[in-house]
Short mmCIF file of all heavy atoms in Angstrom, two decimals:
data_model
loop_
_atom_site.label_atom_id
_atom_site.label_comp_id
_atom_site.label_asym_id
_atom_site.label_seq_id
_atom_site.Cartn_x
_atom_site.Cartn_y
_atom_site.Cartn_z
N PRO A 170 -16.42 -8.84 -18.43
CA PRO A 170 -15.19 -8.52 -17.70
C PRO A 170 -14.16 -7.92 -18.65
O PRO A 170 -14.20 -8.19 -19.85
CB PRO A 170 -14.72 -9.87 -17.15
CG PRO A 170 -15.39 -10.89 -17.99
CD PRO A 170 -16.65 -10.28 -18.57
N PRO A 171 -13.25 -7.08 -18.15
CA PRO A 171 -12.30 -6.41 -19.05
C PRO A 171 -11.27 -7.38 -19.64
O PRO A 171 -10.95 -8.40 -19.02
CB PRO A 171 -11.60 -5.41 -18.12
CG PRO A 171 -11.77 -5.98 -16.76
CD PRO A 171 -13.06 -6.73 -16.75
N ASN A 172 -10.78 -7.03 -20.80
CA ASN A 172 -9.67 -7.77 -21.40
C ASN A 172 -8.39 -7.21 -20.74
O ASN A 172 -8.16 -6.00 -20.76
CB ASN A 172 -9.69 -7.49 -22.90
CG ASN A 172 -8.55 -8.17 -23.62
OD1 ASN A 172 -7.60 -8.62 -22.99
ND2 ASN A 172 -8.65 -8.24 -24.93
N LEU A 173 -7.58 -8.08 -20.15
CA LEU A 173 -6.43 -7.60 -19.38
C LEU A 173 -5.13 -7.58 -20.20
O LEU A 173 -4.06 -7.33 -19.66
CB LEU A 173 -6.24 -8.47 -18.12
CG LEU A 173 -7.47 -8.57 -17.20
CD1 LEU A 173 -7.14 -9.35 -15.94
CD2 LEU A 173 -8.00 -7.19 -16.83
N GLU A 174 -5.28 -7.78 -21.49
CA GLU A 174 -4.12 -7.89 -22.38
C GLU A 174 -3.21 -6.65 -22.34
O GLU A 174 -2.00 -6.74 -22.47
CB GLU A 174 -4.71 -8.12 -23.79
CG GLU A 174 -3.78 -8.17 -24.90
CD GLU A 174 -4.56 -8.21 -26.24
OE1 GLU A 174 -5.82 -8.10 -26.26
OE2 GLU A 174 -3.88 -8.33 -27.23
N HIS A 175 -3.82 -5.47 -22.14
CA HIS A 175 -3.00 -4.24 -22.17
C HIS A 175 -2.55 -3.78 -20.78
O HIS A 175 -2.00 -2.69 -20.64
CB HIS A 175 -3.76 -3.11 -22.86
CG HIS A 175 -4.01 -3.42 -24.31
ND1 HIS A 175 -2.99 -3.60 -25.21
CD2 HIS A 175 -5.17 -3.66 -24.99
CE1 HIS A 175 -3.50 -3.90 -26.40
NE2 HIS A 175 -4.82 -3.95 -26.28
N VAL A 176 -2.82 -4.59 -19.79
CA VAL A 176 -2.39 -4.20 -18.43
C VAL A 176 -0.89 -4.50 -18.35
O VAL A 176 -0.45 -5.62 -18.63
CB VAL A 176 -3.17 -4.99 -17.35
CG1 VAL A 176 -2.72 -4.56 -15.96
CG2 VAL A 176 -4.67 -4.79 -17.53
N ILE A 177 -0.10 -3.50 -17.97
CA ILE A 177 1.36 -3.67 -17.94
C ILE A 177 1.72 -4.66 -16.83
O ILE A 177 1.31 -4.50 -15.68
CB ILE A 177 2.08 -2.32 -17.69
CG1 ILE A 177 1.68 -1.30 -18.76
CG2 ILE A 177 3.59 -2.51 -17.65
CD1 ILE A 177 2.21 0.11 -18.51
N ASP A 178 2.47 -5.69 -17.23
CA ASP A 178 2.82 -6.74 -16.27
C ASP A 178 4.34 -6.93 -16.26
O ASP A 178 4.88 -7.65 -17.11
CB ASP A 178 2.12 -8.05 -16.67
CG ASP A 178 2.32 -9.11 -15.61
OD1 ASP A 178 3.10 -8.87 -14.67
OD2 ASP A 178 1.67 -10.17 -15.72
N PRO A 179 5.03 -6.31 -15.31
CA PRO A 179 6.49 -6.42 -15.30
C PRO A 179 6.97 -7.87 -15.15
O PRO A 179 8.11 -8.17 -15.45
CB PRO A 179 6.91 -5.59 -14.09
CG PRO A 179 5.75 -4.69 -13.82
CD PRO A 179 4.53 -5.45 -14.24
N MET A 180 6.06 -8.78 -14.73
CA MET A 180 6.48 -10.18 -14.58
C MET A 180 6.66 -10.86 -15.93
O MET A 180 7.25 -11.92 -16.02
CB MET A 180 5.48 -10.95 -13.73
CG MET A 180 5.68 -10.55 -12.32
SD MET A 180 5.36 -11.50 -10.94
CE MET A 180 5.06 -13.07 -11.08
N LYS A 181 6.11 -10.25 -16.98
CA LYS A 181 6.26 -10.84 -18.32
C LYS A 181 7.62 -10.41 -18.88
O LYS A 181 7.85 -9.21 -19.09
CB LYS A 181 5.15 -10.35 -19.24
CG LYS A 181 3.82 -10.97 -18.94
CD LYS A 181 2.95 -10.96 -20.19
CE LYS A 181 1.61 -11.61 -19.89
NZ LYS A 181 0.49 -10.71 -20.18
N PRO A 182 8.51 -11.35 -19.14
CA PRO A 182 9.87 -10.98 -19.56
C PRO A 182 9.90 -10.17 -20.84
O PRO A 182 10.78 -9.35 -21.05
CB PRO A 182 10.58 -12.33 -19.75
CG PRO A 182 9.59 -13.39 -19.42
CD PRO A 182 8.27 -12.78 -19.07
N SER A 183 8.89 -10.36 -21.71
CA SER A 183 8.92 -9.66 -23.00
C SER A 183 8.37 -8.24 -22.89
O SER A 183 8.22 -7.56 -23.90
CB SER A 183 8.05 -10.44 -23.98
OG SER A 183 6.73 -10.44 -23.49
#
Side-chain angles (χ1 to χ4, degrees):
N172 179 345
L173 304 185
E174 176 188 5
H175 295 297
V176 181
I177 303 173
D178 187 352
M180 285 208 13
K181 287 205 179 123
S183 62

